[in-house]
Amino acid sequence: MERSPVAVVIVTYQSEQVIAGCLASLPDDVKVFVVDNASTDDTVSVAAATRPDARIIRNPVNAGFAAGVNLGIKAAEGHDVLVLNADTRLHPGTIDTLRAADKPITVPKIVGVDGLTHFSLRREPRLRTAISEALIGGHRAGRIGLGATVTDLKAYEHAHPAEWATGCAWLVKRETIERLDLLDERYFLYSEEVEYMLRAGGVWYEPRAVATHIGGEVSTNARLWSLLAANRVRLHRERHGKVAAFFMWLAVVLNEGLRARSPKHRAALKGLFRMRTWPEEVASEGPSYLCFSAQDWWYHNRAHSDFQLLRRVAKHRKVLLVNSIGLRMPSPGKSTQFLRRILRKAKSVAMLVRRPIPETPNFYVMTPAPLPFYGKPWLRKLNSVLVRTQVRLVCLFLRMGTPVVVATIPTAWDVVEPMRHKGLIFNRSDRHSAFPEADQGTIAALENQLLSNSDTVLYVSRALQEEESPLTGERAHFLDHGVDVDHFTRRDELPADIASIPGPRIGFFGSLDDYLVDFDLIEKVAQEFPEASVVLIGDATCSMERYARYPNVHWLDFRSYEQIPGYGSGFDVALMPWLDNDWIKHANPIKMKEYLALGLAVVSTDFPEVERYADVIRIAKGEADFIDQIRLTLKDGGLKTPAERRAAVLTASWDSRARELMQIAEGR
């Protein structure tokens, strides 16, 4: 099988003094990606002048090293990737020598500007090594085999496997990227390469490949040293749990405390006592965002993608989220619970404009008063003028300027068409014209207008993207859903109501919509597993009385986003029992990643996007197979381990998706 070509990914931040030397050391025939993390100096112009053929990706925010590498990996699709620091210079033949090793991850010999060997090889971080380094120093501990750093010069003379190595230069095979996915962006800087290399099972050291590394900033920069110390604890927590992390924290505190005469160690000690779960992101300058959501913040589940994306964009930019202006007017006989829907929308309108998240003050939510009649042109026109006037007034009051407009619902087209914007993005999260209660012809026409006139069309379904590619062309981008990995962490203590339900528990959480969920299939599950409890959690848009005759079915109704991980933790098997229709064909359920983040064993009906997780989710081909897969999962615990299932979505953070959205929208 032919080997993938190689691409070089260099992440820069305020790197104008060093990037030229790095680029000049690269062979002419290699593809180069420079990912700049919102530098304010001349890094980008120097890079462009030094290497005109390099593709420069401008990240609109400084999202950290791992986020930069991930952008480069995505851009270098189909390539092996050589990750370089901007202050690294390759010696002739290094890339060819690294590739010849043909290992999952290969690292070169690192030397300083003086030509002396750097101690770049490391042992896996352990509590005993941290204590040893604290008491006798890193190099002394390394010489007797108790420290993390390998300090025996003989170890740098021959090729051999190592547990990990410093991340200034490392070549990752494409097969490894496909297996492990991306780097974990939560670390921001330091420990992200450690986590990735350990996840890969170690690295291969090849001393015939050589790179010079200038380095040294972390040893003099108190802020960076503090982050390095805190991330040692965070890495240990993620790999070994909270109890082990506490003892690692004590060991790192001991190390910094014994050396507190130095400003950097004092800063690290102070940071360790104040450390957050993960480093915080920093706001930066840029355009505001105006999003026309397909959901309503005040009564829909806040796991929906437009909520998740825009609340994270609001960490960096001012955001106004406009609650759904609807696809149709609920009506008796055609709509389920039509009176309830009208009342809750009226309550939502009465909320006016609010900032619902105190810790994210740049995130605003409004609900305009709409006239959701789309069948007649003059009513559509009247409604669009009414909604647009309300939105413009709020934008003026909030000093939004000229925003980037994100439309998730097709009925927003009439509103946004005449509005000034820095870019129009159609967030194509669903095919809304397939919604049963909508005026499907009218909604399809509005979808086509957005597809034709948007600057960018974002897809979460590869199947839908492919179908519409003749219309969207190069304006189409796949932006996968994310998951809040930290929120969806298995809880040891269950809510009282689900704890009282006998196991094993076969569960589902999410909206119980009659155009999505196969309720007949759920009933079949209840019949086939009378010894198990079928637990349904979510707001239902249809009657649930059909399950009253099954004592093993427990419908717990709606539970808030904050509560859901606790309930999901009580499932022995998690279900995705979808209908076989056009809506599901083009869906990418967020709950799929939420289930996996909880480490749950999942059984699903078949649809295109679930195939991407076929190694961790059991996919049924029909009703009988669905029952068989549940039975097998109750017996063996599901595909792979809970930790491996969680690892499958570890890098799929909403923060990462939001930054990718910003990078696309702002075109930098």
Side-chain angles (χ1 to χ4, degrees):
M1 192 173 182
E2 187 176 348
R3 178 77 180 271
S4 300
V6 69
V8 177
V9 171
I10 307 167
V11 179
T12 58
Y13 177 69
Q14 311 294 69
S15 306
E16 64 176 352
Q17 301 297 323
V18 294
I19 186 59
C22 181
L23 292 171
S25 73
L26 303 179
D28 293 335
D29 60 349
V30 71
K31 186 173 288 189
V32 179
F33 296 86
V34 176
V35 183
D36 184 70
N37 269 338
S39 295
T40 57
D41 63 3
D42 291 329
T43 297
V44 170
S45 58
V46 171
T50 306
R51 185 86 185 212
D53 64 328
R55 179 179 169 188
I56 298 176
I57 303 169
R58 300 191 65 170
N59 200 344
V61 297
N62 181 8
F65 179 74
V69 171
N70 288 344
L71 280 176
I73 287 175
K74 292 175 184 177
E77 185 176 0
H79 290 68
D80 294 348
V81 173
L82 175 61
V83 180
L84 292 181
N85 284 6
D87 59 351
T88 302
R89 285 91 176 91
L90 295 187
H91 292 208
T94 292
I95 293 180
D96 290 338
T97 305
L98 290 173
R99 283 170 58 77
D102 198 25
K103 300 293 183 180
I105 299 178
T106 310
V107 298
K109 181 178 182 179
I110 305 298
V111 299
V113 292
D114 54 6
L116 296 178
T117 299
H118 279 191
F119 295 140
S120 59
L121 300 180
R122 299 287 189 271
R123 301 180 182 91
E124 181 178 350
R126 296 180 176 89
L127 181 61
R128 62 179 176 84
T129 60
I131 294 173
S132 299
E133 290 176 342
L135 294 176
I136 64 175
H139 286 290
R140 292 191 190 93
R143 281 199 294 270
I144 60 176
L146 293 178
T149 304
V150 177
T151 58
D152 183 358
L153 281 172
K154 292 182 179 179
Y156 293 87
E157 295 174 357
H158 62 279
H160 60 86
E163 292 181 321
W164 67 280
T166 54
C168 61
W170 44 302
L171 178 70
V172 190
K173 287 184 66 175
R174 176 51 53 175
E175 292 90 335
T176 305
I177 294 171
E178 297 299 330
R179 176 169 61 90
L180 298 181
D181 204 5
L182 304 174
L183 278 70
D184 191 335
E185 299 177 7
R186 296 175 295 174
Y187 293 94
F188 189 81
L189 188 64
Y190 304 121
S191 290
E192 67 280 274
E193 85 275 30
V194 189
E195 188 278 333
Y196 198 83
M197 292 175 184
L198 293 176
R199 200 177 352 141
V203 301
W204 182 261
Y205 171 69
E206 178 48 77
R208 294 176 300 166
V210 183
T212 296
H213 184 220
I214 299 172
E217 186 180 8
V218 67
S219 63
T220 58
N221 188 310
R223 184 180 65 85
L224 295 182
W225 187 266
S226 179
L227 183 59
L228 175 66
N231 276 355
R232 291 176 66 189
V233 179
R234 293 181 175 113
L235 176 65
H236 207 71
R237 180 192 66 212
E238 291 301 296
R239 291 181 59 80
H240 303 291
K242 293 181 180 180
V243 174
F246 173 71
F247 289 104
M248 175 61 79
W249 179 85
L250 288 176
V252 179
V253 165
L254 176 65
N255 181 79
E256 304 306 319
L258 291 175
R259 295 158 180 80
R261 292 181 184 178
S262 166
K264 71 175 185 180
H265 291 290
R266 287 199 301 272
L269 191 61
K270 185 177 179 180
L272 285 164
F273 280 98
R274 296 180 176 179
M275 66 178 288
R276 296 175 178 269
T277 303
W278 294 105
E280 287 188 300
E281 295 194 46
V282 181
S284 57
E285 294 296 322
S288 57
Y289 281 70
L290 172 62
C291 175
F292 290 84
S293 173
Q295 315 296 329
D296 193 297
W297 177 269
W298 303 116
Y299 55 79
H300 280 128
N301 190 319
R302 293 173 189 172
H304 288 284
S305 64
D306 34 10
F307 296 159
Q308 295 283 7
L309 286 170
L310 272 299
R311 64 185 285 191
R312 285 163 173 81
V313 170
K315 292 180 178 180
H316 312 279
R317 306 284 188 263
K318 186 176 289 185
V319 170
L320 174 61
L321 186 136
V322 181
N323 279 325
S324 175
I325 54 179
L327 295 170
R328 80 289 185 221
M329 169 64 83
S331 57
K334 186 176 181 180
S335 304
T336 57
Q337 302 175 325
F338 81 98
L339 184 58
R340 175 174 175 260
R341 293 184 182 188
I342 292 174
L343 289 174
R344 70 183 185 180
K345 177 58 72 173
K347 290 180 180 178
S348 179
V349 172
M351 301 292 283
L352 301 177
V353 182
R354 301 202 179 193
R355 289 190 292 187
I357 309 175
E359 62 269 24
T360 311
N362 277 332
F363 183 68
Y364 297 83
V365 176
M366 73 167 291
T367 309
L371 295 173
F373 302 101
Y374 303 105
K376 296 182 181 297
W378 70 271
L379 282 172
R380 280 177 49 194
K381 178 70 174 177
L382 178 61
N383 182 60
S384 67
V385 171
L386 175 64
V387 173
R388 184 165 54 250
T389 300
Q390 296 171 75
V391 172
R392 277 178 166 166
L393 286 172
V394 173
C395 286
L396 184 64
F397 177 77
L398 296 178
R399 299 181 181 179
M400 298 277 289
T402 303
V404 172
V405 176
V406 181
T408 302
I409 192 166
T411 47
W413 168 248
D414 287 334
V415 179
V416 305
E417 180 186 7
M419 295 181 71
R420 293 180 58 219
H421 52 73
K422 287 189 178 294
L424 175 58
I425 296 176
F426 184 15
N427 184 26
R428 190 78 158 123
S429 58
D430 292 296
R431 176 172 275 172
H432 289 91
S433 56
F435 183 64
E437 294 182 18
D439 182 341
Q440 295 183 347
T442 300
I443 299 303
L446 292 170
E447 285 177 327
N448 286 333
Q449 289 280 16
L450 274 169
L451 288 169
S452 301
N453 293 283
S454 295
D455 299 301
T456 304
V457 182
L458 299 180
Y459 289 90
V460 297
S461 164
R462 295 170 179 86
L464 185 56
Q465 180 178 352
E466 184 177 349
E467 284 184 19
E468 296 178 345
S469 60
L471 185 59
T472 57
E474 294 184 355
R475 294 179 297 117
H477 294 267
F478 179 76
L479 182 66
D480 200 359
H481 283 320
V483 63
D484 190 336
V485 175
D486 294 322
H487 182 60
F488 283 90
T489 300
R490 185 180 289 271
R491 311 294 203 259
D492 294 327
E493 186 174 347
L494 302 181
D497 49 358
I498 192 171
S500 66
I501 296 173
R505 305 182 192 97
I506 302 170
F508 171 93
F509 61 66
S511 297
L512 291 158
D513 294 311
D514 51 6
Y515 60 92
L516 296 177
V517 177
D518 189 337
F519 289 102
D520 292 337
L521 184 55
I522 291 176
E523 187 169 3
K524 184 69 173 177
V525 172
Q527 294 169 351
E528 292 289 331
F529 298 96
E531 75 288 355
S533 297
V534 179
V535 182
L536 306 176
I537 301 168
D539 192 11
T541 58
C542 59
S543 173
M544 301 292 283
E545 291 181 3
R546 65 189 297 178
Y547 301 116
R549 64 179 182 271
Y550 298 102
N552 62 328
V553 175
H554 306 265
W555 175 44
L556 303 185
D557 210 334
F558 177 81
R559 293 294 184 271
S560 70
Y561 180 74
E562 290 71 27
Q563 296 172 301
I564 286 296
Y567 282 89
S569 297
F571 295 172
D572 295 287
V573 182
L575 302 183
M576 290 199 292
W578 307 124
L579 292 167
D580 183 11
N581 59 24
D582 197 48
W583 186 284
I584 293 298
K585 178 184 176 183
H586 302 116
N588 186 350
I590 296 171
K591 82 174 76 286
M592 177 165 62
K593 292 182 175 65
E594 293 171 345
Y595 281 162
L596 291 174
L598 288 170
L600 297 176
V602 185
V603 175
S604 176
T605 53
D606 195 13
F607 62 99
E609 284 300 323
V610 76
E611 298 291 345
R612 308 282 171 175
Y613 294 94
D615 60 329
V616 287
I617 293 177
R618 285 198 164 117
I619 304 169
K621 310 292 184 181
E623 180 184 281
D625 191 31
F626 193 80
I627 299 300
D628 290 342
Q629 296 295 343
I630 294 174
R631 185 170 287 111
L632 178 60
T633 302
L634 286 171
K635 181 179 179 181
D636 68 7
L639 292 176
K640 296 194 174 179
T641 66
E644 288 171 320
R645 294 191 286 259
R646 180 173 168 82
V649 295
L650 191 63
T651 61
S653 72
W654 282 116
D655 288 293
S656 171
R657 304 298 190 239
R659 289 192 296 266
E660 194 173 346
L661 167 63
M662 294 168 64
Q663 197 272 328
I664 293 169
E666 298 177 27
R668 297 177 58 180

